[in-house]
Amino acid sequence: MKSRALIFIVLLGLAAVLIGWFYESRLRERIERAELVVPDDIDYFLTGLHLRAMNERGKLDYEFRSRRLEHRRLTDTSDIEQPALEIYRDGDRWQVDANRGEFRHRDNRLDLEQQVVMRRLGARPLRLESDSARFEPDLDRLSVVGSVVLVSDDAEIRADSAEFDLEAGVYRLDKTRAVYRDDDQG
């Protein structure tokens, strides 16, 4: 009789240990998972965004891509993760990339920040690097406030700011320092 009672107590103890271990592992799993914190002013978010905008003539004006966009309803702005923009103009195509951006819906303005790289593709390639830039589609303008470096096949230009009128093809640079290369004089 004593051996049955001893076996029963051992089995009961073993069952208690197993139940405790199972409960603790489930509790630990819940604690280790981070709670998803959603701010109360975000009314929607988009992932894998690809937007195409047409001009009044029905031609492709620009394309916009982003890994993630979060719209904040209180400020009517969107925070953008890794925005990429392609702007199409007669004879020119611009490609603009940045680490983050903010779109102001009321002003129809895209502010780009952190490692902004703009490239004019085509026959006359140009590369522009800056910490920030602004694209205003209604004004057909791309502007940079702050230091900017432009690199082309035959020049490197540093400026304190720049403005690109994309429709007219007029570029204005302020306080420039330039180095030109004449590769034909070998």
Side-chain angles (χ1 to χ4, degrees), residues 86-119:
E86 286 198 41
I87 305 166
Y88 301 93
R89 295 298 178 265
D90 298 331
D92 282 334
R93 187 172 121 218
W94 289 85
Q95 188 176 43
V96 184
D97 297 297
N99 284 342
R100 68 174 303 304
E102 180 181 76
F103 186 72
R104 298 184 175 276
H105 295 270
R106 286 187 192 103
D107 302 330
N108 196 25
R109 181 180 89 200
L110 176 62
D111 293 324
L112 301 165
E113 297 175 355
Q114 298 176 357
Q115 296 179 349
V116 178
V117 177
M118 295 182 270
R119 293 176 196 85

PDB file of all heavy atoms in Angstrom, residues 86-119:
ATOM      1  N   GLU A  86       9.966  58.444 -59.975  1.00  0.00           N
ATOM      2  CA  GLU A  86      10.449  58.630 -61.346  1.00  0.00           C
ATOM      3  C   GLU A  86       9.591  59.705 -61.976  1.00  0.00           C
ATOM      4  O   GLU A  86       8.365  59.595 -61.993  1.00  0.00           O
ATOM      5  CB  GLU A  86      10.373  57.329 -62.147  1.00  0.00           C
ATOM      6  CG  GLU A  86      11.447  56.367 -61.730  1.00  0.00           C
ATOM      7  CD  GLU A  86      11.697  55.280 -62.767  1.00  0.00           C
ATOM      8  OE1 GLU A  86      11.702  55.567 -63.968  1.00  0.00           O
ATOM      9  OE2 GLU A  86      11.884  54.138 -62.328  1.00  0.00           O
ATOM     10  N   ILE A  87      10.249  60.749 -62.481  1.00  0.00           N
ATOM     11  CA  ILE A  87       9.556  61.890 -63.057  1.00  0.00           C
ATOM     12  C   ILE A  87       9.849  61.902 -64.550  1.00  0.00           C
ATOM     13  O   ILE A  87      11.016  61.865 -64.958  1.00  0.00           O
ATOM     14  CB  ILE A  87      10.040  63.208 -62.405  1.00  0.00           C
ATOM     15  CG1 ILE A  87       9.885  63.124 -60.880  1.00  0.00           C
ATOM     16  CG2 ILE A  87       9.285  64.391 -62.970  1.00  0.00           C
ATOM     17  CD1 ILE A  87      10.619  64.211 -60.129  1.00  0.00           C
ATOM     18  N   TYR A  88       8.796  61.966 -65.349  1.00  0.00           N
ATOM     19  CA  TYR A  88       8.945  61.925 -66.806  1.00  0.00           C
ATOM     20  C   TYR A  88       8.642  63.300 -67.388  1.00  0.00           C
ATOM     21  O   TYR A  88       7.587  63.864 -67.147  1.00  0.00           O
ATOM     22  CB  TYR A  88       7.984  60.893 -67.398  1.00  0.00           C
ATOM     23  CG  TYR A  88       8.208  59.507 -66.862  1.00  0.00           C
ATOM     24  CD1 TYR A  88       7.485  59.042 -65.766  1.00  0.00           C
ATOM     25  CD2 TYR A  88       9.154  58.666 -67.427  1.00  0.00           C
ATOM     26  CE1 TYR A  88       7.693  57.768 -65.265  1.00  0.00           C
ATOM     27  CE2 TYR A  88       9.375  57.392 -66.924  1.00  0.00           C
ATOM     28  CZ  TYR A  88       8.632  56.954 -65.839  1.00  0.00           C
ATOM     29  OH  TYR A  88       8.844  55.701 -65.340  1.00  0.00           O
ATOM     30  N   ARG A  89       9.585  63.815 -68.168  1.00  0.00           N
ATOM     31  CA  ARG A  89       9.403  65.080 -68.875  1.00  0.00           C
ATOM     32  C   ARG A  89       9.885  64.887 -70.302  1.00  0.00           C
ATOM     33  O   ARG A  89      10.587  63.935 -70.605  1.00  0.00           O
ATOM     34  CB  ARG A  89      10.186  66.223 -68.204  1.00  0.00           C
ATOM     35  CG  ARG A  89       9.703  66.576 -66.820  1.00  0.00           C
ATOM     36  CD  ARG A  89       8.241  67.062 -66.870  1.00  0.00           C
ATOM     37  NE  ARG A  89       7.723  67.356 -65.564  1.00  0.00           N
ATOM     38  CZ  ARG A  89       7.030  66.511 -64.813  1.00  0.00           C
ATOM     39  NH1 ARG A  89       6.791  65.295 -65.231  1.00  0.00           N
ATOM     40  NH2 ARG A  89       6.570  66.861 -63.643  1.00  0.00           N
ATOM     41  N   ASP A  90       9.513  65.806 -71.180  1.00  0.00           N
ATOM     42  CA  ASP A  90       9.911  65.701 -72.586  1.00  0.00           C
ATOM     43  C   ASP A  90      11.415  65.526 -72.691  1.00  0.00           C
ATOM     44  O   ASP A  90      12.177  66.443 -72.395  1.00  0.00           O
ATOM     45  CB  ASP A  90       9.465  66.940 -73.367  1.00  0.00           C
ATOM     46  CG  ASP A  90       7.954  67.090 -73.378  1.00  0.00           C
ATOM     47  OD1 ASP A  90       7.266  66.050 -73.308  1.00  0.00           O
ATOM     48  OD2 ASP A  90       7.471  68.230 -73.431  1.00  0.00           O
ATOM     49  N   GLY A  91      11.840  64.344 -73.081  1.00  0.00           N
ATOM     50  CA  GLY A  91      13.261  64.066 -73.277  1.00  0.00           C
ATOM     51  C   GLY A  91      14.044  63.753 -72.019  1.00  0.00           C
ATOM     52  O   GLY A  91      15.163  63.282 -72.100  1.00  0.00           O
ATOM     53  N   ASP A  92      13.516  64.029 -70.860  1.00  0.00           N
ATOM     54  CA  ASP A  92      14.237  63.768 -69.612  1.00  0.00           C
ATOM     55  C   ASP A  92      13.435  62.813 -68.731  1.00  0.00           C
ATOM     56  O   ASP A  92      12.206  62.831 -68.713  1.00  0.00           O
ATOM     57  CB  ASP A  92      14.480  65.054 -68.825  1.00  0.00           C
ATOM     58  CG  ASP A  92      15.636  65.878 -69.378  1.00  0.00           C
ATOM     59  OD1 ASP A  92      16.538  65.294 -70.002  1.00  0.00           O
ATOM     60  OD2 ASP A  92      15.614  67.102 -69.183  1.00  0.00           O
ATOM     61  N   ARG A  93      14.186  61.998 -67.994  1.00  0.00           N
ATOM     62  CA  ARG A  93      13.579  61.121 -66.981  1.00  0.00           C
ATOM     63  C   ARG A  93      14.439  61.234 -65.734  1.00  0.00           C
ATOM     64  O   ARG A  93      15.644  61.020 -65.789  1.00  0.00           O
ATOM     65  CB  ARG A  93      13.531  59.682 -67.480  1.00  0.00           C
ATOM     66  CG  ARG A  93      12.772  58.785 -66.538  1.00  0.00           C
ATOM     67  CD  ARG A  93      12.568  57.414 -67.135  1.00  0.00           C
ATOM     68  NE  ARG A  93      13.181  56.448 -66.243  1.00  0.00           N
ATOM     69  CZ  ARG A  93      13.827  55.378 -66.611  1.00  0.00           C
ATOM     70  NH1 ARG A  93      13.969  55.107 -67.883  1.00  0.00           N
ATOM     71  NH2 ARG A  93      14.338  54.568 -65.731  1.00  0.00           N
ATOM     72  N   TRP A  94      13.827  61.605 -64.632  1.00  0.00           N
ATOM     73  CA  TRP A  94      14.512  61.753 -63.357  1.00  0.00           C
ATOM     74  C   TRP A  94      14.136  60.596 -62.454  1.00  0.00           C
ATOM     75  O   TRP A  94      12.977  60.209 -62.374  1.00  0.00           O
ATOM     76  CB  TRP A  94      14.114  63.062 -62.678  1.00  0.00           C
ATOM     77  CG  TRP A  94      14.651  64.273 -63.326  1.00  0.00           C
ATOM     78  CD1 TRP A  94      14.113  64.955 -64.376  1.00  0.00           C
ATOM     79  CD2 TRP A  94      15.839  64.962 -62.976  1.00  0.00           C
ATOM     80  NE1 TRP A  94      14.895  66.031 -64.688  1.00  0.00           N
ATOM     81  CE2 TRP A  94      15.962  66.068 -63.847  1.00  0.00           C
ATOM     82  CE3 TRP A  94      16.821  64.767 -62.011  1.00  0.00           C
ATOM     83  CZ2 TRP A  94      17.022  66.955 -63.771  1.00  0.00           C
ATOM     84  CZ3 TRP A  94      17.865  65.652 -61.929  1.00  0.00           C
ATOM     85  CH2 TRP A  94      17.966  66.738 -62.805  1.00  0.00           C
ATOM     86  N   GLN A  95      15.122  60.087 -61.746  1.00  0.00           N
ATOM     87  CA  GLN A  95      14.909  59.038 -60.755  1.00  0.00           C
ATOM     88  C   GLN A  95      15.376  59.597 -59.410  1.00  0.00           C
ATOM     89  O   GLN A  95      16.508  60.062 -59.291  1.00  0.00           O
ATOM     90  CB  GLN A  95      15.718  57.802 -61.143  1.00  0.00           C
ATOM     91  CG  GLN A  95      15.440  56.598 -60.319  1.00  0.00           C
ATOM     92  CD  GLN A  95      16.213  55.401 -60.857  1.00  0.00           C
ATOM     93  OE1 GLN A  95      17.384  55.520 -61.208  1.00  0.00           O
ATOM     94  NE2 GLN A  95      15.555  54.277 -60.932  1.00  0.00           N
ATOM     95  N   VAL A  96      14.501  59.557 -58.412  1.00  0.00           N
ATOM     96  CA  VAL A  96      14.793  60.150 -57.102  1.00  0.00           C
ATOM     97  C   VAL A  96      14.549  59.082 -56.029  1.00  0.00           C
ATOM     98  O   VAL A  96      13.495  58.476 -55.989  1.00  0.00           O
ATOM     99  CB  VAL A  96      13.892  61.378 -56.835  1.00  0.00           C
ATOM    100  CG1 VAL A  96      14.276  62.035 -55.520  1.00  0.00           C
ATOM    101  CG2 VAL A  96      13.943  62.366 -57.984  1.00  0.00           C
ATOM    102  N   ASP A  97      15.548  58.881 -55.162  1.00  0.00           N
ATOM    103  CA  ASP A  97      15.444  57.904 -54.073  1.00  0.00           C
ATOM    104  C   ASP A  97      15.868  58.569 -52.764  1.00  0.00           C
ATOM    105  O   ASP A  97      16.734  59.442 -52.761  1.00  0.00           O
ATOM    106  CB  ASP A  97      16.364  56.702 -54.330  1.00  0.00           C
ATOM    107  CG  ASP A  97      15.982  55.943 -55.583  1.00  0.00           C
ATOM    108  OD1 ASP A  97      14.866  55.407 -55.613  1.00  0.00           O
ATOM    109  OD2 ASP A  97      16.792  55.902 -56.517  1.00  0.00           O
ATOM    110  N   ALA A  98      15.261  58.115 -51.666  1.00  0.00           N
ATOM    111  CA  ALA A  98      15.624  58.617 -50.337  1.00  0.00           C
ATOM    112  C   ALA A  98      15.303  57.532 -49.316  1.00  0.00           C
ATOM    113  O   ALA A  98      14.603  56.563 -49.611  1.00  0.00           O
ATOM    114  CB  ALA A  98      14.850  59.892 -50.013  1.00  0.00           C
ATOM    115  N   ASN A  99      15.804  57.716 -48.106  1.00  0.00           N
ATOM    116  CA  ASN A  99      15.503  56.760 -47.036  1.00  0.00           C
ATOM    117  C   ASN A  99      14.125  56.985 -46.422  1.00  0.00           C
ATOM    118  O   ASN A  99      13.457  56.047 -46.028  1.00  0.00           O
ATOM    119  CB  ASN A  99      16.555  56.823 -45.936  1.00  0.00           C
ATOM    120  CG  ASN A  99      17.838  56.145 -46.343  1.00  0.00           C
ATOM    121  OD1 ASN A  99      17.865  55.357 -47.276  1.00  0.00           O
ATOM    122  ND2 ASN A  99      18.915  56.462 -45.657  1.00  0.00           N
ATOM    123  N   ARG A 100      13.716  58.251 -46.326  1.00  0.00           N
ATOM    124  CA  ARG A 100      12.397  58.539 -45.768  1.00  0.00           C
ATOM    125  C   ARG A 100      11.831  59.801 -46.404  1.00  0.00           C
ATOM    126  O   ARG A 100      12.554  60.576 -47.006  1.00  0.00           O
ATOM    127  CB  ARG A 100      12.431  58.641 -44.242  1.00  0.00           C
ATOM    128  CG  ARG A 100      13.180  59.811 -43.672  1.00  0.00           C
ATOM    129  CD  ARG A 100      13.089  59.981 -42.176  1.00  0.00           C
ATOM    130  NE  ARG A 100      11.839  60.111 -41.507  1.00  0.00           N
ATOM    131  CZ  ARG A 100      10.870  61.008 -41.727  1.00  0.00           C
ATOM    132  NH1 ARG A 100      10.966  61.843 -42.691  1.00  0.00           N
ATOM    133  NH2 ARG A 100       9.796  61.063 -40.991  1.00  0.00           N
ATOM    134  N   GLY A 101      10.541  59.954 -46.253  1.00  0.00           N
ATOM    135  CA  GLY A 101       9.884  61.125 -46.812  1.00  0.00           C
ATOM    136  C   GLY A 101       8.615  61.449 -46.054  1.00  0.00           C
ATOM    137  O   GLY A 101       8.130  60.665 -45.232  1.00  0.00           O
ATOM    138  N   GLU A 102       8.096  62.635 -46.342  1.00  0.00           N
ATOM    139  CA  GLU A 102       6.830  63.063 -45.768  1.00  0.00           C
ATOM    140  C   GLU A 102       6.040  63.754 -46.873  1.00  0.00           C
ATOM    141  O   GLU A 102       6.550  64.655 -47.542  1.00  0.00           O
ATOM    142  CB  GLU A 102       7.049  64.018 -44.603  1.00  0.00           C
ATOM    143  CG  GLU A 102       5.742  64.487 -43.980  1.00  0.00           C
ATOM    144  CD  GLU A 102       5.960  65.461 -42.844  1.00  0.00           C
ATOM    145  OE1 GLU A 102       6.263  66.631 -43.138  1.00  0.00           O
ATOM    146  OE2 GLU A 102       5.808  65.038 -41.682  1.00  0.00           O
ATOM    147  N   PHE A 103       4.806  63.305 -47.068  1.00  0.00           N
ATOM    148  CA  PHE A 103       3.948  63.924 -48.079  1.00  0.00           C
ATOM    149  C   PHE A 103       2.911  64.776 -47.380  1.00  0.00           C
ATOM    150  O   PHE A 103       2.200  64.307 -46.490  1.00  0.00           O
ATOM    151  CB  PHE A 103       3.262  62.858 -48.938  1.00  0.00           C
ATOM    152  CG  PHE A 103       2.488  63.448 -50.082  1.00  0.00           C
ATOM    153  CD1 PHE A 103       3.149  63.996 -51.165  1.00  0.00           C
ATOM    154  CD2 PHE A 103       1.107  63.473 -50.054  1.00  0.00           C
ATOM    155  CE1 PHE A 103       2.446  64.553 -52.218  1.00  0.00           C
ATOM    156  CE2 PHE A 103       0.394  64.031 -51.106  1.00  0.00           C
ATOM    157  CZ  PHE A 103       1.067  64.573 -52.183  1.00  0.00           C
ATOM    158  N   ARG A 104       2.854  66.051 -47.765  1.00  0.00           N
ATOM    159  CA  ARG A 104       1.858  66.991 -47.211  1.00  0.00           C
ATOM    160  C   ARG A 104       0.715  67.073 -48.223  1.00  0.00           C
ATOM    161  O   ARG A 104       0.864  67.683 -49.275  1.00  0.00           O
ATOM    162  CB  ARG A 104       2.481  68.350 -46.960  1.00  0.00           C
ATOM    163  CG  ARG A 104       3.595  68.281 -45.930  1.00  0.00           C
ATOM    164  CD  ARG A 104       4.144  69.664 -45.616  1.00  0.00           C
ATOM    165  NE  ARG A 104       5.117  69.586 -44.566  1.00  0.00           N
ATOM    166  CZ  ARG A 104       4.832  69.567 -43.265  1.00  0.00           C
ATOM    167  NH1 ARG A 104       3.593  69.616 -42.870  1.00  0.00           N
ATOM    168  NH2 ARG A 104       5.785  69.493 -42.365  1.00  0.00           N
ATOM    169  N   HIS A 105      -0.394  66.458 -47.881  1.00  0.00           N
ATOM    170  CA  HIS A 105      -1.505  66.314 -48.818  1.00  0.00           C
ATOM    171  C   HIS A 105      -2.129  67.650 -49.204  1.00  0.00           C
ATOM    172  O   HIS A 105      -2.452  67.852 -50.372  1.00  0.00           O
ATOM    173  CB  HIS A 105      -2.560  65.370 -48.236  1.00  0.00           C
ATOM    174  CG  HIS A 105      -2.052  63.977 -48.084  1.00  0.00           C
ATOM    175  ND1 HIS A 105      -2.166  63.030 -49.074  1.00  0.00           N
ATOM    176  CD2 HIS A 105      -1.389  63.369 -47.065  1.00  0.00           C
ATOM    177  CE1 HIS A 105      -1.623  61.902 -48.672  1.00  0.00           C
ATOM    178  NE2 HIS A 105      -1.132  62.077 -47.450  1.00  0.00           N
ATOM    179  N   ARG A 106      -2.311  68.555 -48.253  1.00  0.00           N
ATOM    180  CA  ARG A 106      -2.932  69.855 -48.568  1.00  0.00           C
ATOM    181  C   ARG A 106      -2.105  70.650 -49.567  1.00  0.00           C
ATOM    182  O   ARG A 106      -2.649  71.338 -50.417  1.00  0.00           O
ATOM    183  CB  ARG A 106      -3.109  70.673 -47.289  1.00  0.00           C
ATOM    184  CG  ARG A 106      -4.223  70.193 -46.420  1.00  0.00           C
ATOM    185  CD  ARG A 106      -4.467  71.138 -45.240  1.00  0.00           C
ATOM    186  NE  ARG A 106      -5.351  70.510 -44.290  1.00  0.00           N
ATOM    187  CZ  ARG A 106      -4.973  69.969 -43.143  1.00  0.00           C
ATOM    188  NH1 ARG A 106      -3.704  70.014 -42.784  1.00  0.00           N
ATOM    189  NH2 ARG A 106      -5.843  69.406 -42.343  1.00  0.00           N
ATOM    190  N   ASP A 107      -0.781  70.574 -49.453  1.00  0.00           N
ATOM    191  CA  ASP A 107       0.111  71.338 -50.330  1.00  0.00           C
ATOM    192  C   ASP A 107       0.546  70.545 -51.560  1.00  0.00           C
ATOM    193  O   ASP A 107       1.232  71.101 -52.419  1.00  0.00           O
ATOM    194  CB  ASP A 107       1.361  71.767 -49.558  1.00  0.00           C
ATOM    195  CG  ASP A 107       1.021  72.608 -48.341  1.00  0.00           C
ATOM    196  OD1 ASP A 107      -0.003  73.310 -48.373  1.00  0.00           O
ATOM    197  OD2 ASP A 107       1.782  72.547 -47.353  1.00  0.00           O
ATOM    198  N   ASN A 108       0.203  69.256 -51.630  1.00  0.00           N
ATOM    199  CA  ASN A 108       0.668  68.361 -52.694  1.00  0.00           C
ATOM    200  C   ASN A 108       2.191  68.489 -52.826  1.00  0.00           C
ATOM    201  O   ASN A 108       2.735  68.800 -53.886  1.00  0.00           O
ATOM    202  CB  ASN A 108      -0.023  68.659 -54.028  1.00  0.00           C
ATOM    203  CG  ASN A 108       0.153  67.512 -55.004  1.00  0.00           C
ATOM    204  OD1 ASN A 108       0.361  66.363 -54.617  1.00  0.00           O
ATOM    205  ND2 ASN A 108       0.084  67.824 -56.284  1.00  0.00           N
ATOM    206  N   ARG A 109       2.877  68.213 -51.698  1.00  0.00           N
ATOM    207  CA  ARG A 109       4.332  68.401 -51.624  1.00  0.00           C
ATOM    208  C   ARG A 109       4.966  67.186 -50.958  1.00  0.00           C
ATOM    209  O   ARG A 109       4.511  66.732 -49.915  1.00  0.00           O
ATOM    210  CB  ARG A 109       4.621  69.658 -50.807  1.00  0.00           C
ATOM    211  CG  ARG A 109       6.076  69.971 -50.682  1.00  0.00           C
ATOM    212  CD  ARG A 109       6.284  71.222 -49.877  1.00  0.00           C
ATOM    213  NE  ARG A 109       6.383  70.871 -48.471  1.00  0.00           N
ATOM    214  CZ  ARG A 109       6.192  71.720 -47.475  1.00  0.00           C
ATOM    215  NH1 ARG A 109       5.857  72.970 -47.719  1.00  0.00           N
ATOM    216  NH2 ARG A 109       6.326  71.333 -46.233  1.00  0.00           N
ATOM    217  N   LEU A 110       6.017  66.686 -51.582  1.00  0.00           N
ATOM    218  CA  LEU A 110       6.770  65.550 -51.056  1.00  0.00           C
ATOM    219  C   LEU A 110       8.137  66.036 -50.577  1.00  0.00           C
ATOM    220  O   LEU A 110       8.931  66.530 -51.375  1.00  0.00           O
ATOM    221  CB  LEU A 110       6.945  64.480 -52.140  1.00  0.00           C
ATOM    222  CG  LEU A 110       7.796  63.265 -51.780  1.00  0.00           C
ATOM    223  CD1 LEU A 110       7.185  62.489 -50.613  1.00  0.00           C
ATOM    224  CD2 LEU A 110       7.967  62.362 -52.988  1.00  0.00           C
ATOM    225  N   ASP A 111       8.379  65.917 -49.266  1.00  0.00           N
ATOM    226  CA  ASP A 111       9.678  66.261 -48.682  1.00  0.00           C
ATOM    227  C   ASP A 111      10.467  64.977 -48.489  1.00  0.00           C
ATOM    228  O   ASP A 111       9.987  64.044 -47.841  1.00  0.00           O
ATOM    229  CB  ASP A 111       9.511  66.980 -47.338  1.00  0.00           C
ATOM    230  CG  ASP A 111       8.885  68.351 -47.491  1.00  0.00           C
ATOM    231  OD1 ASP A 111       9.183  69.026 -48.489  1.00  0.00           O
ATOM    232  OD2 ASP A 111       8.091  68.751 -46.611  1.00  0.00           O
ATOM    233  N   LEU A 112      11.666  64.936 -49.050  1.00  0.00           N
ATOM    234  CA  LEU A 112      12.529  63.753 -48.974  1.00  0.00           C
ATOM    235  C   LEU A 112      13.691  64.041 -48.042  1.00  0.00           C
ATOM    236  O   LEU A 112      14.236  65.144 -48.049  1.00  0.00           O
ATOM    237  CB  LEU A 112      13.042  63.400 -50.366  1.00  0.00           C
ATOM    238  CG  LEU A 112      11.959  63.110 -51.405  1.00  0.00           C
ATOM    239  CD1 LEU A 112      12.526  63.128 -52.799  1.00  0.00           C
ATOM    240  CD2 LEU A 112      11.304  61.787 -51.102  1.00  0.00           C
ATOM    241  N   GLU A 113      14.097  63.024 -47.270  1.00  0.00           N
ATOM    242  CA  GLU A 113      15.190  63.198 -46.315  1.00  0.00           C
ATOM    243  C   GLU A 113      16.077  61.963 -46.288  1.00  0.00           C
ATOM    244  O   GLU A 113      15.630  60.877 -46.637  1.00  0.00           O
ATOM    245  CB  GLU A 113      14.631  63.434 -44.909  1.00  0.00           C
ATOM    246  CG  GLU A 113      13.805  64.682 -44.761  1.00  0.00           C
ATOM    247  CD  GLU A 113      13.192  64.793 -43.382  1.00  0.00           C
ATOM    248  OE1 GLU A 113      13.325  63.852 -42.575  1.00  0.00           O
ATOM    249  OE2 GLU A 113      12.580  65.821 -43.107  1.00  0.00           O
ATOM    250  N   GLN A 114      17.295  62.160 -45.830  1.00  0.00           N
ATOM    251  CA  GLN A 114      18.277  61.105 -45.577  1.00  0.00           C
ATOM    252  C   GLN A 114      18.718  60.419 -46.878  1.00  0.00           C
ATOM    253  O   GLN A 114      17.998  59.615 -47.427  1.00  0.00           O
ATOM    254  CB  GLN A 114      17.744  60.060 -44.591  1.00  0.00           C
ATOM    255  CG  GLN A 114      17.441  60.626 -43.237  1.00  0.00           C
ATOM    256  CD  GLN A 114      16.827  59.590 -42.312  1.00  0.00           C
ATOM    257  OE1 GLN A 114      16.570  58.474 -42.691  1.00  0.00           O
ATOM    258  NE2 GLN A 114      16.594  59.995 -41.070  1.00  0.00           N
ATOM    259  N   GLN A 115      19.898  60.776 -47.299  1.00  0.00           N
ATOM    260  CA  GLN A 115      20.553  60.182 -48.472  1.00  0.00           C
ATOM    261  C   GLN A 115      19.681  60.294 -49.724  1.00  0.00           C
ATOM    262  O   GLN A 115      19.351  59.311 -50.369  1.00  0.00           O
ATOM    263  CB  GLN A 115      20.939  58.732 -48.215  1.00  0.00           C
ATOM    264  CG  GLN A 115      21.959  58.581 -47.123  1.00  0.00           C
ATOM    265  CD  GLN A 115      22.315  57.131 -46.853  1.00  0.00           C
ATOM    266  OE1 GLN A 115      21.679  56.213 -47.333  1.00  0.00           O
ATOM    267  NE2 GLN A 115      23.366  56.940 -46.074  1.00  0.00           N
ATOM    268  N   VAL A 116      19.347  61.520 -50.070  1.00  0.00           N
ATOM    269  CA  VAL A 116      18.560  61.770 -51.274  1.00  0.00           C
ATOM    270  C   VAL A 116      19.506  61.712 -52.473  1.00  0.00           C
ATOM    271  O   VAL A 116      20.520  62.397 -52.512  1.00  0.00           O
ATOM    272  CB  VAL A 116      17.866  63.141 -51.213  1.00  0.00           C
ATOM    273  CG1 VAL A 116      17.084  63.406 -52.487  1.00  0.00           C
ATOM    274  CG2 VAL A 116      16.966  63.225 -49.988  1.00  0.00           C
ATOM    275  N   VAL A 117      19.162  60.873 -53.439  1.00  0.00           N
ATOM    276  CA  VAL A 117      19.945  60.739 -54.666  1.00  0.00           C
ATOM    277  C   VAL A 117      18.994  60.931 -55.839  1.00  0.00           C
ATOM    278  O   VAL A 117      17.984  60.237 -55.953  1.00  0.00           O
ATOM    279  CB  VAL A 117      20.634  59.353 -54.764  1.00  0.00           C
ATOM    280  CG1 VAL A 117      21.374  59.218 -56.080  1.00  0.00           C
ATOM    281  CG2 VAL A 117      21.573  59.143 -53.596  1.00  0.00           C
ATOM    282  N   MET A 118      19.327  61.906 -56.700  1.00  0.00           N
ATOM    283  CA  MET A 118      18.528  62.174 -57.892  1.00  0.00           C
ATOM    284  C   MET A 118      19.406  61.938 -59.109  1.00  0.00           C
ATOM    285  O   MET A 118      20.544  62.391 -59.143  1.00  0.00           O
ATOM    286  CB  MET A 118      18.017  63.612 -57.879  1.00  0.00           C
ATOM    287  CG  MET A 118      17.061  63.892 -56.745  1.00  0.00           C
ATOM    288  SD  MET A 118      16.420  65.566 -56.757  1.00  0.00           S
ATOM    289  CE  MET A 118      17.633  66.374 -55.751  1.00  0.00           C
ATOM    290  N   ARG A 119      18.844  61.253 -60.088  1.00  0.00           N
ATOM    291  CA  ARG A 119      19.580  60.989 -61.322  1.00  0.00           C
ATOM    292  C   ARG A 119      18.740  61.433 -62.500  1.00  0.00           C
ATOM    293  O   ARG A 119      17.562  61.073 -62.588  1.00  0.00           O
ATOM    294  CB  ARG A 119      19.862  59.500 -61.475  1.00  0.00           C
ATOM    295  CG  ARG A 119      20.799  58.924 -60.462  1.00  0.00           C
ATOM    296  CD  ARG A 119      20.903  57.396 -60.668  1.00  0.00           C
ATOM    297  NE  ARG A 119      21.484  56.762 -59.520  1.00  0.00           N
ATOM    298  CZ  ARG A 119      20.819  56.375 -58.434  1.00  0.00           C
ATOM    299  NH1 ARG A 119      19.528  56.549 -58.375  1.00  0.00           N
ATOM    300  NH2 ARG A 119      21.429  55.819 -57.431  1.00  0.00           N
TER     301      ARG A 119
END
